[in-house]
Amino acid sequence: MGERHQSVIAELGLRALAHRDMGAFVEEGLGMLGRAVQADACDLMQLTESKDALRSLCRIGWKHPESEVTEELVQHCAAARALRGAPALYKRSVGGDGWPRYLEEEGIESGVRLAISVRDHEAFGLLGLYTRSQHEFSKRELDFLRTGAVVITSAIQRHIIDEARQRERDLAAMRRSEEQLRRAERLASLGTFATGIAHELNNPLNNISLASDYAEQTQNVERRNKLLTSIKNNAQRAGQIVQSVLRFARDEVADHAAVDLASVLRRSVDFVRAEFKPERLTVKLELEETLPKTSGNATELEQVFVSLLRNAAEAHPGHCHARILAKFAESSLRVSVSDDGPGIPSADLPQVFDPFFSTRRKQGGTGLGLSITHRIVTAHGGTIRVASAPGQGTIVSIELPLAAQGYIKA
Amino acid sequence: MSSHRMRVLVVEDEVDALELIQWWTEDQGWDVRTARSGQAALELGKSFKPEVLITDYLLQDDVNGVDVIEQLRNDDAKVRCVLVTGLLRNTLVDEVRRIGNVPILTKPFDFRRLSELISAS
């Protein structure tokens, strides 16, 4: 290699180390190599992902420099051979197999193509240098170009590795920020939840605090006895809140099996009939003759219907007429629980399943009943919808999958 | 000559707490009226003209404790107020700061604390 060529290689090496922009470096390097061998045009063709064609990555000295060129690779063509090793020399006068058309169209007379490979000799593409007049590439020139190609190759290789590392870093950073976001969301919902529990517990605790304080001070026996009852009731209320929270926090169901919905509904109705006097609640149960089984946990499903009926009765200022209708339709079990109560304002409807949302807080509602109901139904692979309007009553529609369709854990 | 009995209005929607605060304030020899909602408190405030107002923040209706304090102070700037809350949030502190100085009593509390805050109000 001549001195002039050596200094070009040295300069190329320096630029390869210093470059910031890979595209700009390849273009620069290509230009330097081209000028050193007095080429009229040069290009860098990259193998496509499918490895059956080359696509121009960088072009210098072409009549149509912007146009992207794609060249199909034929197994035994010169380009394919060049990709496998030795530089492929081109002479228009001699012709050759499979030299691309675009060289003809550009008026190229002579040319040489050298393989560029990266990562353990994996072919990356071809470096091409061309002249519009006849030119015999000397061995020196070919040695020089081969060395230049190695420099460009190693720069590309480093760039590919850097890019991959950067991608990994980006990906890791993205995962980290996603994780942080999830954590923040968890904390936020935990915060809301904790706030709700704190608020709920504060009232009975305050009643206990005031009652015990007053009982200590008073000489009035009647009041003192009344306060003892009040303390007991408030402690029970606090205990119920804790139980509700525990039920809500438990997100898996102990056991599940095929469940006969009809008996679940009958038991639920018996349960609330025992709880409410007949002048407060009447329940009409309408069951389709043969209801197929669903799968899940019978106790939990009972809790769902007891909770819905209890809601209906408690929300009703007078005598609540509730109706349960269960049928099999469109390959699922459909149960609707309707009442003739005061209904739910449309503004409240979107929140009815939110934990701690309650319109009967003062009557001792914890605001967890419907959210637990929602959780149980969803855990059974079902859906629950509420339709209501003030003065129109409320209809809760539940759809449960058949036993064969399996059971989805929450 | 009968000594003046301090007029106290207690606003609380928790029945148990309301009754207890009523008993205790009556035991102090004060003239006590109670309300369970913000709206009722506003109406009672007009006729009863309390000198002391003890009100819970969260009430059953759209009128909260801060609204009650603001309205009653509008009618009589000298009315002494204590705000009771189960949950002291920064937003509530800001809201209270907006209407001026009001001692805030957080649940659970006892009568010694209530007594201190009435004196401080």
Side-chain angles (χ1 to χ4, degrees), chain A residues 260-267 269 284-291 305 323-328 333-336:
Chain A
D260 177 21
L261 194 63
S263 14
V264 164
L265 292 172
R266 278 191 204 101
R267 279 200 301 271
V269 172
K284 197 171 166 197
L285 184 59
E286 291 171 43
L287 298 174
E288 209 170 59
E289 281 279 317
T290 47
L291 279 177
F305 297 106
R323 178 170 172 246
I324 297 185
L325 185 69
K327 60 180 179 182
F328 168 62
L333 286 157
R334 292 172 181 210
V335 189
S336 69

Side-chain angles (χ1 to χ4, degrees), chain A residues 239-261:
Chain A
Q240 274 163 11
I241 293 164
V242 171
Q243 285 307 313
S244 306
V245 170
L246 289 179
R247 269 202 300 278
F248 186 77
R250 194 185 59 190
D251 56 1
E252 61 179 293
V253 185
D255 52 61
H256 64 278
V259 173
D260 177 21
L261 194 63

Side-chain angles (χ1 to χ4, degrees), chain A residues 175-207:
Chain A
R175 280 200 202 103
R176 267 200 306 279
S177 63
E178 268 173 12
E179 177 56 36
Q180 277 163 356
L181 189 72
R182 268 198 298 277
R183 199 176 137 74
E185 276 171 356
R186 265 203 309 275
L187 282 175
S189 70
L190 192 67
T192 313
F193 198 73
T195 306
I197 297 167
H199 194 88
E200 286 305 314
L201 281 175
N202 251 337
N203 279 324
L205 287 180
N206 191 46
N207 293 341

Side-chain angles (χ1 to χ4, degrees), chain A residues 7 46 64 83 88 112 128 133 138 153 205-206 221 224 278 287 301 306 325-326 329 361 374 390 398:
Chain A
S7 70
Q46 186 183 1
H64 310 289
L83 277 170
V112 61
S133 54
S138 68
T153 302
L205 287 180
N206 191 46
V221 178
R224 204 183 272 174
L287 298 174
L301 287 174
V306 167
L325 185 69
R361 178 139 295 155
H374 183 265
I398 292 175

Side-chain angles (χ1 to χ4, degrees), chain A residues 184-332:
Chain A
E185 276 171 356
R186 265 203 309 275
L187 282 175
S189 70
L190 192 67
T192 313
F193 198 73
T195 306
I197 297 167
H199 194 88
E200 286 305 314
L201 281 175
N202 251 337
N203 279 324
L205 287 180
N206 191 46
N207 293 341
I208 291 170
S209 169
L210 292 177
S212 54
D213 193 18
Y214 194 90
E216 254 178 15
Q217 297 171 24
T218 191
Q219 303 301 318
N220 185 326
V221 178
E222 197 188 322
R223 279 191 179 177
R224 204 183 272 174
N225 286 340
K226 190 179 170 187
L227 290 176
L228 286 176
T229 312
S230 157
I231 289 172
K232 200 169 75 185
N233 290 342
N234 276 291
Q236 268 170 8
R237 180 171 152 202
Q240 274 163 11
I241 293 164
V242 171
Q243 285 307 313
S244 306
V245 170
L246 289 179
R247 269 202 300 278
F248 186 77
R250 194 185 59 190
D251 56 1
E252 61 179 293
V253 185
D255 52 61
H256 64 278
V259 173
D260 177 21
L261 194 63
S263 14
V264 164
L265 292 172
R266 278 191 204 101
R267 279 200 301 271
S268 308
V269 172
D270 287 347
F271 196 90
V272 291
R273 274 181 186 149
E275 198 175 327
F276 293 90
K277 290 178 179 147
E279 60 266 30
R280 280 283 291 123
L281 175 71
T282 5
V283 186
K284 197 171 166 197
L285 184 59
E286 291 171 43
L287 298 174
E288 209 170 59
E289 281 279 317
T290 47
L291 279 177
K293 286 192 159 99
T294 183
S295 59
N297 183 294
T299 314
E300 291 206 330
L301 287 174
E302 245 174 79
Q303 196 186 334
V304 165
F305 297 106
V306 167
S307 173
L308 290 176
L309 290 169
R310 203 181 266 157
N311 274 350
E314 283 173 352
H316 205 292
H319 183 168
C320 175
H321 296 84
R323 178 170 172 246
I324 297 185
L325 185 69
K327 60 180 179 182
F328 168 62
E330 289 166 48
S331 69
S332 63

Side-chain angles (χ1 to χ4, degrees), chain B residues 86-103:
Chain B
L87 211 62
L88 190 58
R89 294 179 199 253
N90 287 335
T91 49
L92 179 58
V93 174
D94 291 343
E95 208 177 330
V96 168
R97 202 170 282 150
R98 183 178 58 80
I99 61 162
N101 200 29
V102 179

Side-chain angles (χ1 to χ4, degrees), chain A residues 195-196 198-199 202-207 209-211 213-215 217-218 223-224 226-227 230 233-234 237 361-363, chain B residues 12-14 16-17 19-21 23-24 26-27 36 56 58-60 84-87 89 106-112:
Chain A
T195 306
H199 194 88
N202 251 337
N203 279 324
L205 287 180
N206 191 46
N207 293 341
S209 169
L210 292 177
D213 193 18
Y214 194 90
Q217 297 171 24
T218 191
R223 279 191 179 177
R224 204 183 272 174
K226 190 179 170 187
L227 290 176
S230 157
N233 290 342
N234 276 291
R237 180 171 152 202
R361 178 139 295 155
K362 302 305 162 191
Q363 290 91 343
Chain B
E12 168 64 74
D13 53 5
E14 273 279 327
D16 288 16
E19 189 176 36
L20 281 157
I21 298 171
W23 288 355
W24 182 83
E26 280 171 356
D27 288 353
R36 290 189 57 195
D56 193 12
L58 264 188
L59 299 169
Q60 274 176 335
V84 179
T85 180
L87 211 62
R89 294 179 199 253
T106 48
K107 292 178 184 177
F109 59 91
D110 57 21
F111 292 112
R112 191 180 51 81

